Amino acid sequence: MSIPSTSFLPALAPGDVEQAAQLIQRALTPQSQLSAQEQRNVQQELFDVQKRPESWGLVIPFLQHSDPNVQFFGAHTVQVKIARDWDSFPHEHHGELRDLLVAVTGHSIVAGYNKVILRKLFVAITSLAMKLCTPSQSEWPEWPLSCVQRLSELGASTESLLDLLAIVAEEVESADLLAPQKSKMERLLGNAVPMVTQVITNCVSRPRTHASPNELRSALKCFEAWMPYVPANDITPLIPLLIALLSPASIVAELDENEFTMASDALQEIMSKSALSDGVGTKSLTEPLLLWCEQYGTAIVDRTINDGFADPISRSFCKLLSALGDHSTQYFASNLASAASPVLSRPVTISFPSKSRLVQTFLRLLMAYTGIAGYYGVDEEESEMTLGFWYLFQESLWSSGPDPDEDDADPPSSKMSGEQWNISKAVYSELIRVLRRKSVWPPKSVLQEWPRDQKDKFQAYRRDLGDTLLNAYYVIRDDLLAFYVNDLAQRLSPDIAHPQWEEIEGTLHCIMAVQEGVPLEDNPHLARLFGQEILGRLPTSGGTRVRRTAVLLIGAYATWFTSQYTQPPGPGTPSLLMNAISYVVSALPEPALCLPAANSLRDICDANRTALAPHISAFGELHAGLANIPDTEKGKVLQSIASVIQALPAEEEIAPVEAIVNPVVAKLYQALQSSAQLPDETRALVYQQLQIITGVARGLTRTNDSLLIFDDSPDIREELERMKRARDDPRTIHLRESILDAIRRTVALWSTDATISYALSELIKAVTSLPSDVTLLSLSPGPLLELICVASQKQLTAVWLSLATMLVVQLNPPSLLPTTFKTLPTSEAHAVVLNVLLSLLQTSLAFLRQPGSMNENPEIVQTFFSSLETIALHFVSVFHQLPPQLSDALMQCAIGSLALQERYALVASCTFLATMINRTAAAEGLEEAKNVFAQKHGKNIMHSILSGFAGVAPRTATPNLIELLSTMLTRFPLQSKEWINEILYSPDFMPSKATSEAKEKFVKTIFSSRSLRRTREAAQQFILVARGLEGSSFGYSSVAM
């Protein structure tokens, strides 16, 4: 085969070519045994060779070399040169390069080069075509068609042409092209679709002329790659051919594994990514596949059941069923009880089963894979593939009524026909049986052989099963609970001497999984579950897994108990609520169960405070037995007790709160006094005591319902008044003083420890509140802010700054009653905030002005400016009372932050400056302060904004800079125009791609319109121009985002 002239390429001496080839062989031949450093040096040399303009001349000699490694480098070089150095290639030689590349590719195909080399050449051809076919001109008209035609003339095989076409589609799909160029490429590929589908049809039709599995694989891979460009009308004729590949070639033949798997993959792609996805093509795709499943599916599933595992054909069939389920869910729901038979798009003479039978056969086959024998992750992987369908099917059943109405209050079942409803209930009734069996853990003897990652995998699988069970509950409702509770009753029957605890645990898990859907109303099945018949027969010792699940189940249904009557203390059968609490409490002393038991106790007590308040004496007994509970979980247990205490009248809370808090505070004092002797042990003990006090404070918090802030009912007013009187009691005053002193001592000793500072943070959050939710332990924010300033002076962290932000808000809380005018903060609060601001600014600015500090601590920068924004929002006047030197240092820091490369820190700085400017301008009596601010800092802020536009700031932060620019234009319109003109046309403004015309257009646009949208658009366009991104796909896509 003759190669076109290469005279237009640089000519290299044979010796230079051979030397470069030897360098490649040295780098890529395993026998070279180069050290890591030598390998890097050789790779760098090759990279340097490839960068030179003369390397174009290496392509043909390398491709004609006998060593495949050198051939590969030749193909790689032409790909790289086209992609990276195209602008330097002479325009007059474009056509010659095109012809040469196609010719050398044809030669390489005929010569039998490795497919890796051919792939490089195919990518190079596609890359070259995209360079030559621009929206304005085309130096390679209809290049997919002409390229295939020319390679075919050169003797390329069909398999190679299919590989080329697959790469063409993949490369065009993934190329970063502007819209006009992308549209042209897609049009050219669209013109080639008839040719592509014809070649594919010839390869997949039976009997195939060339029964090469590689050719079939190439044809189907090509089909999958071209799927986005092939219209539905061209896909439809291929579907019968693909379904034929799923079937045996003859009556006596077996299924061909390779053909089956490849055809199944192609059909899955059609259903998920083609013009026939999302339920399109029921007559041409869904029903033909269902008819095939009716004929062949049962045999595949039966063989799988007999063999005890899924072979490659069975696994591929499972994937096909799952894809069909995702594609045609609505069809299945609508035709679940349909007596009509399919009418295919092509005429046939035989009669077909009813649609109902076909759908039910499909459901039976998919159910078989959902319940395939064995444990997931060990014996099978197929069951997990099917779970998503049952969710989609339930959703489709709900929407399959004849007249859906968003305002219809009737349940979805009332919109289905009687037969459809009966079948769907039967399907999901079977599903819950299957899922219960699949959720059971193996016996201990088997489980101990599993590695940790397999246990975690099975645990995640059980969570997925739980999600599917919730969908089943929405269909069959109480029938699900009835089935599982009856199952438990049978397995816990007194007649069974040795219950199968793994099976019982699996059933409990299934009931827990559907809790989200169970309404908060009386339910006889749950009453049986939490009564003596079920819960009363579960083990209270041993059986760790089943007890753990039972405890978690109780916690999950904590809110359901609010629908039950809880009888007061006294003789008689315990209520369901107390029955459940007793079971949870019995698990607390055991280390393996203490954590879930403490969590469940906390949840159930929190949800049922009022009902449990009469039983406070029982919780006193629980408190007396705290010695048997690990310190790590005591906080949750005491939080549970505190939740019950909170339901008592405020004056009756004092004694029990004292009883549970005083010992903890005393233990904390003792630990702090011994900190010097045993620092590690003390740190752990201090952390635990802080966590326990935090838990108690959270338990005493009445509610998280912010609507109660505005509740002005007499009952609420009376309750707040009683709480005020209880807080004024000397005992509670002493208690709060003790807690505050303990916090003060802890800050003095341990505030620089990360673990202790976290515990202090959680405690301060728990013991502070808005006025509507004050408790006996709530502390005033003022003294705590002083302690935060002390801690920040020892070590500035985001933790302390975040706490300061929260407490500043509490100094200016929302009114208990809605008013027309916002209440102003008190003079005392104003004084506190001013002192706090002085302290935090001195500490923070001293830290941030250190070289590299702002870049190395973006979290502190972000939190610092967020805290300042909050202060500006509530107490803006304090900024204008700062000493001038400190105020200037703050503004310098804020303006300097606008050049940070960490987005969140820069955004926080932008937000602070915008809030500061807006609040100053809006506040009464600060007109002079606004003018001084503009005079001293306005131009510097504008300079930073415009420099950020020009490239100093990261692209992701420019929207925030634009918002800050809009604020400046709104609040300082005349000054801003003067500043912008001075800055943009100044010789020392940051160098950028923006011309004088671009700057003038930007200035004219932003000042000719007061529209925020126009300002944003003008700024975005200026950013693109200034950064040299105008006309680039990256630039426009980032603006769109």
Side-chain angles (χ1 to χ4, degrees):
M1 181 187 299
S2 61
I3 300 294
S5 172
T6 61
S7 59
F8 65 93
L9 295 177
L12 298 175
D16 294 338
V17 174
E18 185 59 33
Q19 184 178 358
Q22 290 174 359
L23 192 63
I24 295 167
Q25 291 170 323
R26 186 180 176 210
L28 300 180
T29 304
Q31 290 78 10
S32 301
Q33 296 183 341
L34 300 177
S35 67
Q37 184 58 47
E38 289 173 329
Q39 186 73 30
R40 284 193 292 270
N41 293 339
V42 172
Q43 293 285 357
Q44 185 61 46
E45 287 185 61
L46 289 175
F47 180 71
D48 293 339
V49 167
Q50 211 172 49
K51 284 196 303 183
R52 297 171 189 163
E54 297 81 8
S55 61
W56 284 101
L58 292 173
V59 173
I60 301 303
F62 280 0
L63 284 170
Q64 293 175 337
H65 200 279
S66 59
D67 188 340
N69 289 322
V70 180
Q71 295 168 4
F72 172 81
F73 195 79
H76 178 60
T77 298
V78 71
Q79 179 195 341
V80 169
K81 299 300 284 185
I82 292 171
R84 299 179 186 171
D85 301 334
W86 181 248
D87 292 340
S88 63
F89 190 81
H91 184 274
E92 62 271 17
H93 295 312
H94 286 180
E96 294 171 274
L97 178 63
R98 174 197 65 206
D99 296 340
L100 176 63
L101 183 56
V102 173
V104 76
T105 301
H107 167 75
S108 301
I109 294 171
V110 173
Y113 280 18
N114 189 289
K115 278 201 170 189
V116 177
I117 299 171
L118 296 180
R119 178 177 178 83
K120 283 284 181 184
L121 291 171
F122 296 159
V123 173
I125 286 176
T126 309
S127 180
L128 178 61
M130 288 189 283
K131 299 290 186 184
L132 296 178
C133 295
T134 63
S136 58
Q137 62 177 354
S138 180
E139 299 179 70
W140 199 350
E142 301 297 339
W143 64 272
L145 289 167
S146 61
C147 182
V148 169
Q149 183 179 355
R150 179 59 184 148
L151 288 174
S152 182
E153 293 170 355
L154 294 172
S157 64
T158 302
E159 180 184 334
S160 298
L161 295 177
L162 289 164
D163 290 341
L164 166 66
L165 288 169
I167 287 173
V168 164
E170 291 167 357
E171 290 296 307
V172 171
E173 178 71 17
S174 62
D176 182 21
L177 303 174
L178 288 174
Q181 173 82 340
K182 190 82 168 179
S183 177
K184 182 168 185 175
M185 286 295 110
E186 290 174 349
R187 180 178 58 78
L188 292 173
L189 265 61
N191 294 342
V193 164
M195 177 266 293
V196 174
T197 54
Q198 184 59 54
V199 175
I200 294 171
T201 300
N202 294 339
C203 291
V204 301
S205 299
R206 279 180 169 173
R208 299 206 311 277
T209 307
H210 306 288
S212 165
N214 289 334
E215 183 180 287
L216 178 62
R217 181 175 289 106
S218 295
L220 294 180
K221 288 295 181 186
C222 178
F223 178 50
E224 292 175 19
W226 279 74
M227 200 84 72
Y229 307 103
V230 182
N233 290 340
D234 289 324
I235 294 175
T236 301
L238 286 166
I239 293 173
L241 303 178
L242 294 172
I243 292 178
L245 292 177
L246 296 175
S247 311
S250 65
I251 298 177
V252 296
E254 293 288 329
L255 293 175
D256 184 293
E257 180 181 317
N258 289 327
E259 288 190 1
F260 186 98
T261 304
M262 290 186 287
S264 172
D265 290 344
L267 287 165
Q268 292 168 45
E269 289 290 307
I270 291 175
M271 289 185 281
S272 62
K273 298 179 181 177
S274 77
L276 295 179
S277 62
D278 296 327
V280 178
T282 56
K283 294 187 182 301
S284 58
L285 180 58
T286 303
E287 291 178 346
L289 278 172
L290 289 177
L291 289 168
W292 184 91
C293 290
E294 181 76 17
Q295 184 174 2
Y296 295 103
T298 300
I300 296 175
V301 168
D302 288 346
R303 187 175 69 247
T304 302
I305 294 173
N306 292 334
D307 294 344
F309 67 93
D311 60 16
I313 288 179
S314 180
R315 182 172 177 79
S316 181
F317 180 49
C318 178
K319 291 180 180 179
L320 182 63
L321 288 173
S322 298
L324 179 58
D326 292 346
H327 172 273
S328 305
T329 317
Q330 192 61 52
Y331 175 91
F332 298 138
S334 301
N335 292 281
L336 190 58
S338 173
S341 296
V343 179
L344 301 187
S345 55
R346 55 192 178 92
V348 291
T349 57
I350 60 174
S351 60
F352 295 130
S354 67
K355 293 181 181 180
S356 176
R357 175 176 167 179
L358 293 176
V359 170
Q360 291 180 50
T361 297
F362 168 83
L363 294 173
R364 177 173 52 80
L365 295 173
L366 195 72
M367 187 80 73
Y369 282 106
T370 303
I372 190 170
Y375 294 105
Y376 173 75
V378 176
D379 306 308
E380 57 89 10
E381 299 277 352
E382 288 71 33
S383 61
E384 189 270 340
M385 299 178 195
T386 69
L387 297 180
F389 167 77
W390 302 111
Y391 157 71
L392 296 173
F393 188 47
Q394 176 255 316
E395 291 284 324
S396 298
L397 285 170
W398 275 21
S399 62
S400 64
D403 297 305
D405 184 352
E406 291 183 2
D407 298 324
D408 194 347
D410 291 337
S413 59
S414 65
K415 300 178 183 179
M416 290 187 268
S417 68
E419 184 65 17
Q420 186 185 20
W421 177 236
N422 291 335
I423 296 173
S424 62
K425 287 190 68 174
V427 169
Y428 278 94
S429 295
E430 177 61 25
L431 179 64
I432 66 170
R433 290 174 169 82
V434 167
L435 295 181
R436 194 213 68 81
R437 174 170 55 81
K438 293 295 292 182
S439 66
V440 174
W441 284 93
K444 188 177 295 186
S445 58
V446 175
L447 186 60
Q448 65 186 8
E449 301 296 328
W450 283 11
R452 178 59 184 269
D453 60 339
Q454 173 54 39
K455 295 177 183 177
D456 293 341
K457 187 176 182 180
F458 189 76
Q459 184 69 33
Y461 171 69
R462 292 211 331 161
R463 286 194 293 271
D464 294 339
L465 293 181
D467 294 339
T468 306
L469 279 166
L470 185 58
N471 300 121
Y473 175 81
Y474 290 137
V475 176
I476 59 177
R477 299 285 176 176
D478 273 7
D479 289 351
L480 179 146
L481 294 175
F483 171 76
Y484 285 144
V485 171
N486 287 333
D487 179 82
L488 287 171
Q490 292 172 11
R491 297 181 186 279
L492 289 167
S493 170
D495 299 333
I496 300 177
H498 302 288
Q500 295 177 296
W501 295 118
E502 289 86 2
E503 299 285 340
I504 292 169
E505 189 276 337
T507 306
L508 291 172
H509 170 78
C510 292
I511 299 175
M512 180 170 62
V514 302
Q515 176 274 328
E516 179 185 331
V518 177
L520 296 180
E521 59 187 30
D522 196 19
N523 188 298
H525 308 298
L526 292 180
R528 287 180 66 196
L529 173 66
F530 294 115
Q532 293 300 317
E533 182 183 5
I534 307 295
L535 189 61
R537 294 178 184 171
L538 292 179
T540 54
S541 61
T544 300
R545 187 179 297 281
V546 69
R547 292 176 66 199
R548 183 178 189 277
T549 302
V551 163
L552 291 173
L553 172 68
I554 292 170
Y557 280 89
T559 54
W560 177 81
F561 289 99
T562 60
S563 67
Q564 301 298 297
Y565 170 73
T566 302
Q567 62 189 41
T573 305
S575 65
L576 297 179
L577 176 59
M578 293 308 296
N579 200 34
I581 287 179
S582 298
Y583 190 86
V584 171
V585 168
S586 69
L588 285 172
E590 300 194 24
L593 299 173
C594 187
L595 174 59
N599 287 334
S600 292
L601 182 65
R602 178 192 61 198
D603 293 343
I604 200 168
C605 289
D606 185 60
N608 297 271
R609 299 178 177 210
T610 304
L612 291 172
H615 299 266
I616 189 65
S617 59
F619 288 91
E621 296 172 9
L622 173 60
H623 179 253
L626 278 178
N628 299 322
I629 299 173
D631 277 355
T632 53
E633 308 307 327
K634 278 182 182 176
K636 294 169 186 172
V637 176
L638 287 177
Q639 181 176 346
S640 306
I641 298 173
S643 297
V644 180
I645 294 173
Q646 186 275 324
L648 298 172
E651 60 275 9
E652 295 180 25
E653 293 182 33
I654 299 174
V657 168
E658 266 195 311
I660 62 176
V661 174
N662 277 333
V664 181
V665 174
K667 196 170 184 180
L668 177 57
Y669 272 114
Q670 185 180 358
L672 292 171
Q673 290 172 355
S674 62
S675 60
Q677 290 79 23
L678 300 168
D680 292 337
E681 291 82 351
T682 300
R683 180 170 58 249
L685 191 58
V686 168
Y687 176 81
Q688 289 171 358
Q689 305 316 304
L690 292 174
Q691 287 288 84
I692 292 173
I693 300 173
T694 301
V696 174
R698 287 173 178 164
L700 290 175
T701 301
R702 181 183 62 184
T703 178
N704 291 322
D705 187 355
S706 59
L707 293 178
L708 288 181
I709 293 174
F710 305 115
D711 191 339
D712 191 34
S713 66
D715 290 343
I716 294 296
R717 283 189 171 276
E718 172 62 20
E719 188 176 337
L720 291 174
E721 185 60 34
R722 294 177 76 171
M723 177 57 68
K724 183 178 182 304
R725 290 196 297 268
R727 283 177 56 81
D728 291 338
D729 188 286
R731 293 171 295 174
T732 56
I733 293 174
H734 175 71
L735 196 57
R736 292 196 300 276
E737 289 175 349
S738 299
I739 293 174
L740 180 62
D741 187 55
I743 294 174
R744 183 179 292 109
R745 295 188 183 202
T746 306
V747 167
L749 290 173
W750 294 97
S751 65
T752 58
D753 182 272
T755 303
I756 299 299
S757 65
Y758 169 78
L760 283 169
S761 170
E762 293 300 298
L763 174 57
I764 290 172
K765 292 175 186 176
V767 295
T768 53
S769 67
L770 295 174
S772 62
D773 205 19
V774 69
T775 72
L776 295 182
L777 300 186
S778 296
L779 301 179
S780 300
L784 293 173
L785 277 168
E786 295 177 10
L787 294 180
I788 287 170
C789 291
V790 172
S792 298
Q793 290 167 0
K794 290 176 174 290
Q795 183 182 47
L796 184 66
T797 67
V799 171
W800 304 127
L801 293 171
S802 297
L803 284 174
T805 305
M806 179 195 74
L807 294 173
V808 164
V809 174
Q810 294 184 12
L811 284 170
N812 185 26
S815 173
L816 286 174
L817 296 174
T819 60
T820 305
F821 302 102
K822 178 174 172 59
T823 56
L824 296 175
T826 64
S827 57
E828 292 82 2
H830 189 95
V832 170
V833 172
L834 178 59
N835 290 331
V836 169
L837 182 61
L838 286 168
S839 176
L840 288 181
L841 283 182
Q842 291 167 353
T843 301
S844 301
L845 294 176
F847 175 81
L848 295 176
R849 73 165 58 103
Q850 297 173 16
S853 180
M854 294 179 73
N855 289 321
E856 294 168 5
N857 300 278
E859 184 184 7
I860 291 179
V861 176
Q862 178 192 352
T863 315
F864 171 62
F865 285 115
S866 296
S867 182
L868 294 181
E869 182 209 351
T870 301
I871 295 175
L873 201 59
H874 295 270
F875 300 90
V876 68
S877 61
V878 298
F879 286 97
H880 303 291
Q881 297 176 260
L882 294 173
Q885 187 175 359
L886 188 59
S887 178
D888 291 344
L890 168 60
M891 287 300 113
Q892 290 172 7
C893 179
I895 295 169
S897 299
L898 298 180
L900 291 174
Q901 296 305 299
E902 207 286 326
R903 177 176 179 268
Y904 293 108
L906 192 156
V907 168
S909 176
C910 280
T911 307
F912 160 64
L913 286 171
T915 302
M916 172 85 170
I917 294 168
N918 282 322
R919 298 295 291 181
T920 299
E924 294 183 6
L926 293 181
E927 184 65 30
E928 181 62 26
K930 171 190 170 184
N931 295 333
V932 171
F933 180 89
Q935 181 181 357
K936 295 180 70 173
H937 309 297
K939 185 176 180 180
N940 291 334
I941 294 174
M942 188 65 74
H943 189 283
S944 292
I945 293 172
L946 297 176
S947 298
F949 289 172
V952 171
R955 287 292 314 282
T956 54
T958 52
N960 303 90
L961 290 173
I962 293 173
E963 295 297 325
L964 182 56
L965 172 65
S966 298
T967 300
M968 296 286 286
L969 296 177
T970 303
R971 299 301 184 181
F972 311 113
L974 297 178
Q975 300 98 315
S976 292
K977 188 170 186 178
E978 180 183 343
W979 295 333
I980 291 176
N981 281 300
E982 288 180 11
I983 294 166
L984 284 180
Y985 296 103
S986 171
D988 62 350
F989 182 62
M990 180 183 176
S992 70
K993 303 287 185 181
T995 62
S996 297
E997 292 78 9
K999 294 177 181 178
E1000 183 179 350
K1001 180 181 178 182
F1002 168 60
V1003 174
K1004 183 178 179 180
T1005 304
I1006 63 175
F1007 286 107
S1008 63
S1009 172
R1010 295 187 179 274
S1011 164
L1012 177 60
R1013 180 179 64 83
R1014 291 288 305 277
T1015 301
R1016 184 183 295 114
E1017 291 173 352
Q1020 288 172 341
Q1021 181 61 30
F1022 179 74
I1023 290 166
L1024 291 177
V1025 173
R1027 296 175 183 237
L1029 296 174
E1030 187 181 28
S1032 71
S1033 175
F1034 168 74
Y1036 283 110
S1037 64
S1038 57
V1039 167
M1041 292 192 322

